[in-house]
Amino acid sequence: MIARWLTFVVVCALGGPSIYGVEAGRVIDAQWIEIEGTRIPVPPREHPRLYLRRSDVDDLRTRMSHPVLKPVWEELERLAERRQSSRLELEALGYLVDPQPEAGRRTVAETLEMLQESTFPDEQDISRAIGRTMVTGAIVYDWCYELLTAEQKQGYIEQFVRLAKMMECGYPPTRQGSVTGHSSERMIMRDMISAGIAIYDEAPEMYRLAAGRFFREHLPARNWFYPGHAYHQGDSYGSYRYASDLYPLWIFHRMGAGNVYDPAQQYVPYQWIYMRRPDGQLIRSGDTYLHSRRPGQVWPLETATILSASYYGDGHVYGEFLKEPSVSAENKLFEFLWRDPELQPRPTSELPLTRYMGAPFGWMIARTGWDENAAIVEMKVNEYNFTNHQHLDAGSFQIYYRGALAIDSGLYSGSSGAYGSPHTANYYWRTIAHNSLLVYDPDEVFSRSRDRDYGNDGGQRLPNGRSEPRNLDDLLTRGYATGKVLAHDFGPDAQRPQYSYLKGDITQAYSDKVRQVVRSFVFLNLDDDARPGALVVFDRVVASDPAFKKYWLLHSIEEPQVDGPRVSIARTEEGNRGRLYLTALRPAADNLAIEKVGGPGKEFWVFGRNFPNDIEPRRRASQEPGAWRIEVSPQRAAADDCFLNVLEIADVDAGPPLPSTLVEGDGGIGVQIADRVVLFSASGEPASTEVRFTLPGERPLQVLVADLAAGTWQVSCDGKPLRELASQEPGLAVYFTAAPGEYTLRRAR
């Protein structure tokens, strides 16, 4: 039957209207109603109206033979040979392009029977399978609507309600949260809304309940965080949940409601473009379930890229999809329906090397290029922590160059990596597993939950007990705020920055054991293949009790080598060739302690206890749990401490590290490395009147002075005025070339 329909389509596929890209010209004709204080669009009084309209049918014929989409169609046919649901969906699509009532009635009857006979085990994540079954029923109901009898309509409705009641969100869909968690995925935003649209004329309740919750809870939360151009659920769940958000985008647009989201949604996938490593993997973030079974395998982003790129006509996002253009069986039909086959990829080389992701994230990724030699540095503030698959990693950083050098440690798989396991709850999710800061209060209790034991890692608090926020109001009012970006900047060339600067106050991320935690990052692009860059990290930490010990953390895969205030970390296993040099400048040498922690039996060590987890051999090519960390601490107890550390990125054969020289001035502290100088306010507060420092040596240097109050600053060298520079938000810094000498920056106005 499918083959006969395909023959008809190929003969007729001679043209037809194109609705590709952003679907320019599509009529926005939806009517809106208010249900319990929430406005929702009304499904049009016609069929089909789910995923497409009658005006789209001619385009279906064109798509079947289009050179880009023909392989997708052929894959759908292969799926139909082995999956009943795929066959029924294709038969319903065939009825749209070549109505054959007898064949269509058989499809309607078989689909109803499938729904009636469907059973599902009581196991985790089964709601995804239940919801996808509802989608098949909704497609057949809507696309073959004119063939259904009154009795069949009632049968479908009963089954949709039965299946909806089996899902985690329940029916009515009131359970779980709309910001994170399973109810923030597809069961409401695609599955229940789809079934509700199909049966709306006969039974409007399901659509009103599901769409009502989407517009009341899901949509406001996303339109609040989309302007940050990122997603909060990590490298794996983030792309999956963003892909879930794209179903309402297409569903309501095709229904005639237009784009219901903030258009900033378009730029979320750029987060993953910048996180992409030369080996095809992603810089780790949150709970990672994406893995490679072979070296060089590209981690796919699937519908998170192709559906977004096609809707917004974004060639850069489309280029990211083409790096691994696979789409799973359950999503293949949506690729066929919505992919823009005329869209052309644009190269990442067009993009600036640094990207800042604003509130409510406060993240920055700086790169030195887009080829196999690219160094990548990720820096995080975390203005909010959304919990669930996001970790307690405010203030953390990661570094990749010819291998993973400074890593997120731990595993979300293996022998003890399940969600909520002792390994995840006590180590992997926690601050101790990240390149961040600990302040250890031995009496701190992180949770008294009966469901899960959260031990004392010395790190950041559990926002709202690590319960998932129900909605945006919960997120804003119940303790999920964890920090504030104080400054961010990169330049002076925005396309190829020499510096990338991020500063944040992360005091809120901790309990009252701290009075202040402020971290500043400056990544310097040294424009050298063998030594591509250096990351300068400056911290001011004030504990509420001087006895609380402070730890500055650096995690690695291979064993670090410690030599006084310097540490060397190589990444040479599995063909990698990177090296990281750490130079600790503060605490001062007479107050500095550097300890190496890790190795067999202490890989995931938390103050006297290991939380073991073993990697899976078949995924060894991409699992990077780490086994070592460096802890930098002051030896003497004090409430107030500063850390100043320089991390030089180098090829494994580049030779010894470059000198990292302390630069101090009147209220300022910083470092010189190569021909660069970075200077911070020692107090952490912006300088408002004057800054003094001395530049040694014989050659000109590139100088970044951070922590300046907004205004015009007069630069003088050896008492002679040189120039005026403007410090303005959001950077509150100046960058200039300077010869050796004694410098004064005085605020002129």
Side-chain angles (χ1 to χ4, degrees):
M1 182 162 52
I2 294 173
R4 177 175 54 76
W5 278 334
L6 180 58
T7 301
F8 172 87
V9 168
V10 170
V11 170
C12 294
L14 302 176
S18 174
I19 53 170
Y20 302 139
V22 294
E23 305 202 308
R26 177 174 287 275
V27 175
I28 307 301
D29 59 357
Q31 302 297 309
W32 293 70
I33 59 172
E34 186 171 304
I35 302 293
E36 296 182 359
T38 302
R39 292 183 74 247
I40 62 174
V42 180
R45 300 284 297 183
E46 62 180 70
H47 296 272
R49 61 191 180 201
L50 178 63
Y51 309 147
L52 75 172
R53 300 280 286 274
R54 178 61 57 186
S55 58
D56 300 320
V57 172
D58 286 342
D59 183 65
L60 290 177
R61 300 185 180 102
T62 304
R63 297 172 83 80
M64 289 177 183
S65 59
H66 192 286
V68 171
L69 290 174
K70 186 177 180 181
V72 180
W73 173 255
E74 291 171 346
E75 176 61 21
L76 284 171
E77 289 193 299
R78 288 190 289 271
L79 288 171
E81 293 174 358
R82 61 180 187 268
R83 290 166 55 108
Q84 182 188 30
S85 59
S86 296
R87 175 173 57 80
L88 294 171
E89 291 168 5
L90 236 58
E91 289 176 359
L93 189 148
Y95 180 78
L96 288 179
V97 298
D98 179 23
Q100 300 291 324
E102 182 179 349
R105 279 190 283 269
R106 287 198 297 270
T107 300
V108 167
E110 185 180 348
T111 304
L112 177 56
E113 183 179 3
M114 179 199 72
L115 294 174
Q116 292 169 332
E117 294 179 354
S118 61
T119 59
F120 299 90
D122 183 12
E123 60 184 35
Q124 186 177 7
D125 297 342
I126 196 61
S127 293
R128 293 168 182 163
I130 296 170
R132 190 59 182 83
T133 300
M134 291 177 67
V135 165
T136 299
I139 286 171
V140 173
Y141 191 104
D142 182 61
W143 295 358
C144 301
Y145 180 80
E146 61 198 36
L147 302 177
L148 281 93
T149 66
E151 182 180 1
Q152 287 174 324
K153 290 177 181 178
Q154 185 59 34
Y156 272 83
I157 293 167
E158 290 173 357
Q159 293 308 309
F160 288 145
V161 172
R162 178 181 74 89
L163 293 171
K165 288 181 177 179
M166 297 169 64
M167 293 198 292
E168 291 174 70
C169 63
Y171 188 79
T174 58
R175 299 179 195 156
Q176 299 185 337
S178 300
V179 183
T180 65
H182 291 173
S183 288
S184 72
E185 297 176 349
R186 301 171 193 192
M187 66 179 81
I188 294 172
M189 292 199 291
R190 182 190 67 186
D191 307 338
M192 203 175 291
I193 284 178
S194 294
I197 289 171
I199 63 176
Y200 184 81
D201 297 343
E202 292 74 37
E205 179 188 74
M206 181 171 289
Y207 174 75
R208 291 178 176 177
L209 289 171
R213 180 166 175 187
F214 169 77
F215 281 96
R216 184 172 58 255
E217 295 186 8
H218 293 77
L219 184 63
R222 284 149 184 79
N223 283 348
W224 177 73
F225 68 71
Y226 277 157
H229 295 179
Y231 218 95
H232 44 79
Q233 292 295 282
D235 55 51
S236 302
Y237 286 94
S239 59
Y240 182 85
R241 290 186 174 163
Y242 175 73
S244 299
D245 296 354
L246 297 174
Y247 288 101
L249 171 73
W250 281 94
I251 288 170
F252 290 118
H253 189 83
R254 284 287 176 98
M255 231 175 65
N259 185 356
V260 299
Y261 287 107
D262 187 310
Q265 182 190 57
Q266 172 182 351
Y267 301 103
V268 170
Y270 283 80
Q271 170 189 1
W272 301 303
I273 292 175
Y274 278 80
M275 290 171 65
R276 181 74 68 182
R277 302 181 347 183
D279 62 359
Q281 301 174 37
L282 297 175
I283 293 289
R284 303 299 192 263
S285 178
D287 291 346
T288 298
Y289 64 75
L290 291 174
H291 288 292
S292 307
R293 297 187 180 183
R294 63 180 187 277
Q297 182 178 1
V298 175
W299 289 5
L301 295 173
E302 235 205 39
T303 47
T305 44
I306 188 57
L307 296 187
S308 176
S310 294
Y311 186 88
Y312 290 107
D314 194 314
H316 291 121
V317 176
Y318 183 52
E320 187 67 17
F321 168 75
L322 292 177
K323 291 176 181 176
E324 178 47 69
S326 62
V327 173
S328 65
E330 76 156 274
N331 295 317
K332 186 63 69 171
L333 177 65
F334 299 104
E335 180 188 5
F336 175 76
L337 292 175
W338 295 334
R339 179 175 176 177
D340 178 357
E342 304 299 333
L343 186 60
Q344 298 298 311
R346 297 183 64 179
T348 53
S349 59
E350 296 179 342
L351 298 173
L353 290 178
T354 296
R355 189 168 187 87
Y356 173 67
M357 289 150 277
F361 305 107
W363 301 341
M364 184 176 281
I365 298 177
R367 305 177 63 104
T368 60
W370 299 99
D371 61 11
E372 67 276 6
N373 294 314
I376 310 169
V377 174
E378 178 198 56
M379 301 159 272
K380 286 185 173 180
V381 170
N382 287 0
E383 292 199 338
Y384 278 78
N385 189 295
F386 293 72
T387 70
N388 196 207
H389 296 294
Q390 184 179 1
H391 293 180
L392 300 170
D393 59 355
S396 69
F397 63 88
Q398 291 185 76
I399 300 173
Y400 180 95
Y401 174 66
R402 298 179 179 176
L405 297 173
I407 68 164
D408 277 1
S409 180
L411 276 178
Y412 187 61
S413 55
S415 61
S416 178
Y419 190 93
S421 67
H423 176 79
T424 58
N426 289 278
Y427 185 80
Y428 181 61
W429 289 344
R430 308 294 291 279
T431 313
I432 199 169
H434 302 82
N435 302 312
S436 190
L437 293 157
L438 305 182
V439 178
Y440 188 73
D441 170 4
D443 297 324
E444 184 171 14
V445 176
F446 281 81
S447 174
R448 302 184 187 279
S449 170
R450 298 177 181 177
D451 301 327
R452 189 171 293 131
D453 176 34
Y454 291 102
N456 183 357
D457 76 320
Q460 294 159 17
R461 63 181 176 83
L462 309 176
N464 194 23
R466 212 176 175 277
S467 354
E468 298 169 11
R470 163 74 190 200
N471 50 36
L472 180 59
D473 184 63
D474 271 7
L475 187 66
L476 298 177
T477 61
R478 302 193 66 181
Y480 296 95
T482 53
K484 184 67 177 177
V485 171
L486 301 178
H488 63 91
D489 192 19
F490 53 89
D493 181 349
Q495 194 71 15
R496 296 187 61 83
Q498 294 183 31
Y499 69 89
S500 301
Y501 169 48
L502 177 65
K503 177 183 179 180
D505 185 331
I506 55 173
T507 309
Q508 283 182 284
Y510 296 84
S511 68
D512 59 7
K513 66 185 176 184
V514 305
R515 292 177 182 165
Q516 184 185 55
V517 183
V518 176
R519 169 160 276 193
S520 298
F521 304 98
V522 175
F523 173 68
L524 300 171
N525 185 343
L526 300 180
D527 199 23
D528 182 332
D529 287 342
R531 302 176 186 273
L535 177 66
V536 182
V537 185
F538 175 63
D539 304 290
R540 184 173 186 83
V541 185
V542 183
S544 58
D545 186 330
F548 296 164
K549 190 168 182 180
K550 308 174 186 75
Y551 299 86
W552 189 100
L553 304 181
L554 174 63
H555 288 267
S556 64
I557 296 173
E558 299 179 30
E559 182 177 359
Q561 304 301 315
V562 181
D563 182 11
R566 293 180 177 85
V567 178
S568 173
I569 296 172
R571 182 71 178 118
T572 58
E573 298 170 351
E574 300 168 347
N576 293 288
R577 296 187 51 78
R579 187 181 294 278
L580 188 66
Y581 292 111
L582 166 67
T583 301
L585 298 174
R586 283 291 181 269
D590 64 351
N591 189 32
L592 176 67
I594 297 182
E595 183 178 358
K596 176 171 59 177
V597 178
K602 298 186 74 172
E603 301 93 336
F604 313 114
W605 190 253
V606 182
F607 294 104
R609 180 180 174 186
N610 197 42
F611 291 91
N613 193 7
D614 299 320
I615 67 173
E616 301 171 67
R618 66 188 180 91
R619 292 178 172 176
R620 190 177 295 272
S622 71
Q623 288 191 330
E624 298 173 341
W628 299 91
R629 72 173 179 262
I630 289 295
E631 297 179 347
V632 180
S633 298
Q635 293 187 34
R636 294 189 291 271
D640 191 338
D641 282 288
C642 289
F643 296 88
L644 178 61
N645 292 283
V646 182
L647 298 117
E648 180 192 339
I649 305 165
D651 181 85
V652 72
D653 295 326
L658 297 171
S660 294
T661 306
L662 186 69
V663 176
E664 290 187 284
D666 184 12
I669 186 170
V671 63
Q672 176 188 344
I673 180 170
D675 64 344
R676 311 294 177 86
V677 171
V678 177
L679 194 70
F680 306 98
S681 165
S683 70
E685 297 297 322
S688 59
T689 56
E690 188 175 271
V691 176
R692 294 176 178 269
F693 56 94
T694 299
L695 296 182
E698 299 178 354
R699 58 176 177 167
L701 301 170
Q702 303 296 314
V703 180
L704 176 71
V705 182
D707 300 329
L708 297 178
T712 300
W713 289 77
Q714 175 71 52
V715 181
S716 299
C717 179
D718 297 330
K720 298 177 181 179
L722 295 180
R723 63 178 70 90
E724 287 189 343
L725 298 172
S727 168
Q728 54 192 358
E729 294 182 347
L732 297 178
V734 296
Y735 188 77
F736 58 97
T737 301
E742 295 184 2
Y743 280 82
T744 301
L745 274 66
R746 185 171 289 110
R747 191 179 181 195
R749 56 186 182 276

